[in-house]
Amino acid sequence: MTSDVLKVTIDRGQQGDATFDVPAFENQTVLDVVSWVQQNADPTLSYRFACRVGMCGSCAMMVNGVPRWTCRTHMSKVLNGNAVTIGPLRNLPLIKDLVVDMDPFFDKWIAAEGVHHGALTRDDPISAIDEQSAHRVEANAGIECINCSVCYAACDTVAGNPDYLGPAALQRAWTLLNDAKDEGRTAILDAVSGKGGCHNCHSMGSCTAYCPNDLDPMSAISGLKRETAKSFFKRSG
């Protein structure tokens, strides 16, 4: 830390920016700072958090213009001198202060057919899965997504095209497309090849660069582009 006092500017939407003097502590996270402001300076400040250990993703915010999990982001990594600016995730409607409406994000998950399409019942035997198969490896690569929407906030394509399904929803679609237990291949390919689908991606890579879980949505989207193209020519042939 460069000072005993931090200058913390919080974007509060229509209320404008508010700056607070926050005491600096060793090993202080951005979430610690936001919590201090709410507990000691302004109890009306609204924000989300749950687990505090990088498992739920609910504390994601913009920190100096970059989407991050605030519980896992230490102040020493983001300070500009002794100052930091914190705001709500971009590309999502603002509810209040640092709280955004996640409904559009999850609506796109559904629009991308990011739900399991099962064909078996509870009475059927559990099918054996080859964990070493190429498809299973692809499915496993994206399975740790926790829907924090950091990639969605980082995506410039979403910013310019509100209809774009976004990297998280498309990565989920790719995961299910490669899951031997999922029976929705046609539905998934139709969903991700339509308006706002995978072919809107400009491959800028912000989703992969900023994913806190080190996932690779851009590669998943590239896979969808290949498979939708194959499906189109197969149907046209």
Side-chain angles (χ1 to χ4, degrees):
M1 299 292 184
T2 59
S3 171
D4 292 335
V5 177
L6 307 176
K7 293 290 183 181
V8 178
T9 300
I10 297 180
D11 177 357
R12 304 194 68 173
Q14 292 184 348
Q15 298 182 52
D17 293 347
T19 300
F20 303 89
D21 290 337
V22 178
F25 298 101
E26 196 69 25
N27 298 322
Q28 191 174 25
T29 66
V30 175
L31 182 59
D32 290 334
V33 165
V34 174
S35 297
W36 188 95
V37 171
Q38 195 271 339
Q39 293 167 13
N40 297 278
D42 187 347
T44 70
L45 178 66
S46 296
Y47 64 106
R48 286 194 183 110
F49 75 96
C51 72
R52 302 183 70 95
V53 292
M55 296 296 291
C56 71
S58 60
C59 70
M61 303 172 198
M62 303 298 292
V63 182
N64 290 341
V66 175
R68 297 177 178 273
W69 290 347
T70 55
C71 71
R72 295 276 294 271
T73 301
H74 285 262
M75 290 298 297
S76 59
K77 302 295 185 182
V78 296
L79 281 175
N80 183 8
N82 71 325
V84 67
T85 299
I86 304 168
L89 288 177
R90 72 169 187 156
N91 297 337
L92 289 163
L94 180 65
I95 295 177
K96 181 178 183 291
D97 298 333
L98 300 171
V99 179
V100 294
D101 183 356
M102 296 289 290
D103 280 354
F105 174 81
F106 289 113
D107 287 345
K108 289 180 178 180
W109 174 286
I110 302 301
E113 291 291 335
V115 296
H116 180 65
H117 308 84
L120 303 180
T121 71
R122 67 180 63 192
D123 298 318
D124 293 313
I126 298 175
S127 300
I129 300 297
D130 180 4
E131 290 291 334
Q132 305 303 317
S133 71
H135 287 299
R136 189 65 243 171
V137 170
E138 286 288 346
N140 285 344
I143 207 167
E144 294 300 328
C145 174
I146 62 172
N147 302 317
C148 66
S149 73
V150 162
C151 64
Y152 191 86
C155 181
D156 287 332
T157 304
V158 172
N161 179 7
D163 291 328
Y164 179 49
L165 293 171
L170 291 171
Q171 179 170 255
R172 175 63 176 171
W174 177 245
T175 296
L176 291 175
L177 196 70
N178 285 282
D179 190 338
K181 301 186 298 296
D182 194 272
E183 301 291 337
R185 181 177 182 83
T186 299
I188 292 170
L189 291 176
D190 286 346
V192 302
S193 62
K195 181 181 180 181
C198 60
H199 295 282
N200 289 264
C201 173
H202 295 167
S203 300
M204 290 181 284
S206 296
C207 53
T208 295
Y210 291 112
C211 177
N213 265 347
D214 295 326
L215 304 184
D216 189 5
M218 187 172 69
S219 291
I221 295 168
S222 295
L224 289 176
K225 290 178 179 179
R226 292 193 302 271
E227 292 304 311
T228 53
K230 290 179 185 177
S231 177
F232 173 79
F233 288 115
K234 183 177 181 180
R235 296 182 191 184
S236 300

